[in-house]
Amino acid sequence: MAKSAAAIPAEVSAEAQALRAELQEHNYRYYALDDPQIPDAEYDRLLQKLQRLEADYPDLITPDSPTQRVGQTPLSAFATVTHELPMLSLDNAFSEEDIWAFDRRVKDRLQDDSDIEYACEPKLDGIAVSLLYQDGMLVRGATRGDGTQGEDITQNVRTIDSIPLRLRGRDYPAVLEVRGEIYMPRAGFERLNEKAREAGDKTFVNPRNAAAGSLRQLDARITARRPLEMCAYSIGYVEGEVPGRHSDILEALRGWGLKINREIQVVQGAQACIDYYRELGERRTGLAYDIDGIVFKVNRRDLQEELGFVARAPRWAIAYKFPAQEEMTELQDVEFQVGRTGAVTPVARLKPVFVGGVTVSNATLHNRDEIQRLGVMIGDSVIVRRAGDVIPQIVSVVTDKRPDNARAIEFPEHCPVCGSPVEMVPGEIVARCDGGLICPAQRKQAIKHFASRKALDIDGLGDKLVEQLVDKGLIQAVADLYHLTREDLSGLERMGEKSAENLLEALEKSKNTTLAKFIYALGIREVGEATARNLAQHYGSLDELASADESSLQQVDNVGPVVAHFVAEFFEQEHNREAVDKLRKAGVTWTEQAPVDRDSLPLAGLTYVLTGSLEQLTRDQAKERLQALGAKVAGSVSKKTDYLVAGPGAGSKLKKAEELEVDIMDEAGLLELLSQWEAE
Ligand code: 5U1
């Protein structure tokens, strides 16, 4: 039962105060220092203890208590806030020349030609906000709005754990306005969209929109469930003393409990700014959050004051933007491509547009569901996103710009290449051409796969050559490759005598391979390189594999019912058995091996977990290759985990691994490990 103020014993009051201070300190270590000292579970335990005390003695509750982050009463509208000092915007630079010109302007105005000290900071792609602290207490959070007036989002900013409700220490100014960016880290964004997808809800287009949508909630309980963070990048209105250098102000803010970006650096001169831009630009896609440029600021505050402002932007700062990752263009047509396994994929043909540093004229539309989800029509203006090396995607449609002659996208009922029916398999989102190897598109893809580096590695047999060979009727199936003659090749485009000779030599060389590579080369659905290796190790010979039934196949590591079904089905089909026979007759041989005892594999008995993004490998490839060496790959970190492979953007799994003192390696370490054992 709740007890009144008079009844609060002194020791209870002291305990609540101590708990609050302890929780605040842990928050500071976690967000500002990026150096947590206790596991999340321990933090939650302390918070619950404080909650229980406050439930027993409600008069103990203070507005800055960590239990008081989430207000229970939704607002009917956001109030308007007038900023004490305008929230400025930044001038943009788009080239190195622009940076040199900016540096020149700064020097000319200061009438000093020596190198300027600049602070270099990533420009986070989020929402600019202002936080007002009075006597160390957070009293107001506001959006930038038009720079003069914004919206009061105090209830919402209070829910963000990296924003302290009370500043740490005592040496903060009596009134301090902190400015910064609220953003959604990519990992949180992916999780949020994944949940939305599972629930059949609308997904967010990008982390910035997700952050904006989350902050615009009148019910702060919704904001509280969104993975938002805030990084401070400057101060606004202040009553009190602050340091004389921008970088020292940021350090002071960190000391008062705010999160400051870890990539910030102080450099001398414009060339060093450009070097910083290039260096971070290369690492951009590996960061845990989206950035759209780099901000350079004259570091000395006295020089900032001397330089002053022009219009609504300071003369002492500039944002050097990265090439946009999203642009608008027109969807001119949709074509349908048929893959090796018959999957029919819609491909958007776009009016060429420069995005993410390259000109994009095609983007994948994935499948029929995606077309429906986007509600896209031919002729629409669409937003194309290209981040890093990711295949360009259409992320949304600008329906306001839809022309009168926009056409619906008709998914074909017959294969655009061979005319066979296109089927939707129940439980699959992909539509497939029914033609199998009758379909030239599937045949071409199957031959390309057979010749690829990880399969029979036929040097010189590129995609264009395969297309010509099939189109001219010189080959129908993979075994025909081994009957090609000099005369056959001489009539082909870009095929000189020497190239023809080299290709015939490469074909000859490819005849000697390993069982694992041969299985992989067959192109059985869902059988990747590592699964092929597991099958080869398990059965030791192709005949053993070909006669295995589904339940035997499921004994193989990493082979579940779906893969087992595809493998058994492949060898049941007469034309596949014939294709294998023809290859044997053409002279293709492979080293058979005694079945391997998996317990004797180098990583047997070890459990790995993968987290964060990897650059050289996909997650699946890393997983398959670890499994092929005998390791188990688990989805979450526990006491049973031996190693965590952590890439950029690693979050809670990394934290947990650190708590449990699990060994951690990065992608380079993983690649070294794989190459060490795979070579044996
Ligand atoms: N990192 C950073 N982002 N950003 C945005 N610094 C920074 N400074 C800004 C803005 C609008 O404005 C300055 C004028 C304080």
Side-chain angles (χ1 to χ4, degrees), residues 1 21-22 35 38 48 98 237 251 264 290 333 357 360 437 439 478 490 506 545 558 566 587 598-599 658:
M1 241 246 310
E22 197 179 345
D35 179 24
I38 57 166
Q48 279 163 14
D98 291 350
Y237 180 73
E251 272 315 309
I264 294 175
D290 281 357
D333 202 358
V360 167
L437 292 180
C439 174
V478 280
S490 65
L545 170 65
N558 201 27
F566 288 140
R598 286 196 60 82
D599 290 342
E658 284 166 349

Side-chain angles (χ1 to χ4, degrees), residues 466-540:
V466 172
E467 312 245 332
Q468 284 191 68
L469 290 168
V470 174
D471 290 343
K472 289 193 188 295
L474 288 167
I475 55 174
Q476 302 285 329
V478 280
D480 299 337
L481 284 169
Y482 295 101
H483 303 294
L484 285 170
T485 62
R486 241 179 217 87
E487 294 72 58
D488 290 337
L489 297 176
S490 65
L492 302 175
E493 271 170 40
R494 277 189 277 149
M495 178 63 71
E497 226 171 88
K498 184 72 191 147
S499 315
E501 199 162 311
N502 289 345
L503 178 60
L504 292 174
E505 245 173 58
L507 280 162
E508 205 48 42
K509 191 168 147 223
S510 74
K511 285 182 179 172
N512 294 315
T513 186
T514 63
L515 178 60
K517 282 182 182 253
F518 187 76
I519 296 170
Y520 174 69
L522 292 174
I524 305 167
R525 266 181 75 187
E526 301 295 331
V527 176
E529 208 190 346
T531 306
R533 219 179 291 152
N534 288 353
L535 291 167
Q537 280 173 351
H538 188 90
Y539 290 104

Side-chain angles (χ1 to χ4, degrees), residues 287-306:
L287 296 176
Y289 40 81
D290 281 357
I291 61 175
D292 59 359
I294 303 291
V295 184
F296 303 121
K297 295 175 186 166
V298 172
N299 200 29
R300 273 174 50 185
R301 297 249 296 157
D302 57 335
L303 300 186
Q304 289 184 357
E305 265 165 38
E306 202 175 325

Side-chain angles (χ1 to χ4, degrees), residues 340 449 454 516 519-520 524-535 537 556-560 563 598 601-603 608-610 614 617-634 645 670 673-674 677-678:
R340 177 167 61 81
H449 175 78
K454 290 178 189 163
I519 296 170
Y520 174 69
I524 305 167
R525 266 181 75 187
E526 301 295 331
V527 176
E529 208 190 346
T531 306
R533 219 179 291 152
N534 288 353
L535 291 167
Q537 280 173 351
V556 180
D557 242 34
N558 201 27
V559 173
V563 179
R598 286 196 60 82
L601 291 172
L603 304 184
Y608 286 72
V609 173
L610 305 166
L614 301 177
L617 296 174
T618 64
R619 277 275 183 99
D620 282 346
Q621 285 168 340
K623 184 173 168 185
E624 281 193 8
R625 286 171 66 177
L626 282 166
Q627 284 169 333
L629 293 170
K632 276 210 164 59
V633 180
V645 181
L670 172 68
L673 175 86
L674 294 173
W677 292 112
E678 284 171 351

Side-chain angles (χ1 to χ4, degrees), residues 69-99:
R69 285 202 171 266
V70 189
Q72 301 298 317
T73 329
L75 301 172
S76 52
F78 294 114
T80 299
V81 165
T82 302
H83 298 297
E84 284 73 15
L85 292 174
M87 283 185 80
L88 302 170
S89 52
L90 288 164
D91 272 345
N92 290 328
F94 296 100
S95 66
E96 291 181 10
E97 289 76 60
D98 291 350
I99 296 301

Side-chain angles (χ1 to χ4, degrees), residues 249-302:
I249 291 180
L250 295 184
E251 272 315 309
L253 291 175
R254 194 198 300 278
W256 294 327
L258 287 138
K259 185 177 163 91
I260 307 296
N261 192 288
R262 281 203 291 173
E263 306 288 346
I264 294 175
Q265 266 181 32
V266 175
V267 304
Q268 306 294 327
Q271 184 57 53
C273 289
I274 291 168
D275 293 345
Y276 177 96
Y277 173 90
R278 287 193 193 144
E279 196 273 324
L280 204 65
E282 273 171 27
R283 289 196 290 120
R284 177 186 183 192
T285 50
L287 296 176
Y289 40 81
D290 281 357
I291 61 175
D292 59 359
I294 303 291
V295 184
F296 303 121
K297 295 175 186 166
V298 172
N299 200 29
R300 273 174 50 185
R301 297 249 296 157
D302 57 335

Side-chain angles (χ1 to χ4, degrees), residues 342-572:
V344 179
T345 308
V347 178
R349 303 291 179 214
L350 304 166
K351 185 166 171 202
V353 61
F354 192 71
V355 51
V358 297
T359 301
V360 167
S361 41
N362 301 310
T364 176
L365 275 164
H366 298 287
N367 51 51
R368 200 190 303 234
D369 286 5
E370 179 70 359
I371 292 174
Q372 248 169 25
R373 192 184 70 79
L374 288 166
V376 63
M377 295 174 80
I378 295 167
D380 268 340
S381 291
V382 293
I383 305 295
V384 179
R385 181 173 171 84
R386 181 188 173 275
D389 294 333
V390 179
I391 304 168
Q393 315 268 334
I394 292 182
V395 290
S396 60
V397 178
V398 189
T399 35
D400 292 355
K401 287 182 168 280
R402 176 164 287 162
D404 293 340
N405 62 352
R407 284 185 290 129
I409 299 168
E410 305 273 357
F411 214 92
E413 288 179 5
H414 291 93
C415 172
V417 181
C418 72
S420 303
V422 168
E423 285 196 341
M424 282 299 291
V425 180
E428 274 192 36
I429 48 172
V430 171
R432 282 181 202 280
C433 158
D434 219 10
L437 292 180
I438 296 162
C439 174
Q442 290 188 51
R443 229 185 297 144
K444 284 178 186 169
Q445 297 299 336
I447 297 167
K448 287 178 194 171
H449 175 78
F450 184 81
S452 64
R453 204 174 48 77
K454 290 178 189 163
L456 263 64
D457 193 15
I458 307 173
D459 213 18
L461 188 62
D463 291 1
K464 289 266 170 335
L465 191 52
V466 172
E467 312 245 332
Q468 284 191 68
L469 290 168
V470 174
D471 290 343
K472 289 193 188 295
L474 288 167
I475 55 174
Q476 302 285 329
V478 280
D480 299 337
L481 284 169
Y482 295 101
H483 303 294
L484 285 170
T485 62
R486 241 179 217 87
E487 294 72 58
D488 290 337
L489 297 176
S490 65
L492 302 175
E493 271 170 40
R494 277 189 277 149
M495 178 63 71
E497 226 171 88
K498 184 72 191 147
S499 315
E501 199 162 311
N502 289 345
L503 178 60
L504 292 174
E505 245 173 58
L507 280 162
E508 205 48 42
K509 191 168 147 223
S510 74
K511 285 182 179 172
N512 294 315
T513 186
T514 63
L515 178 60
K517 282 182 182 253
F518 187 76
I519 296 170
Y520 174 69
L522 292 174
I524 305 167
R525 266 181 75 187
E526 301 295 331
V527 176
E529 208 190 346
T531 306
R533 219 179 291 152
N534 288 353
L535 291 167
Q537 280 173 351
H538 188 90
Y539 290 104
S541 83
L542 193 75
D543 291 336
E544 286 293 318
L545 170 65
S547 54
D549 62 19
E550 291 187 29
S551 68
S552 152
L553 284 160
Q554 286 183 53
Q555 306 302 310
V556 180
D557 242 34
N558 201 27
V559 173
V562 174
V563 179
H565 172 73
F566 288 140
V567 175
E569 184 185 60
F570 180 91
F571 288 107
E572 271 160 24

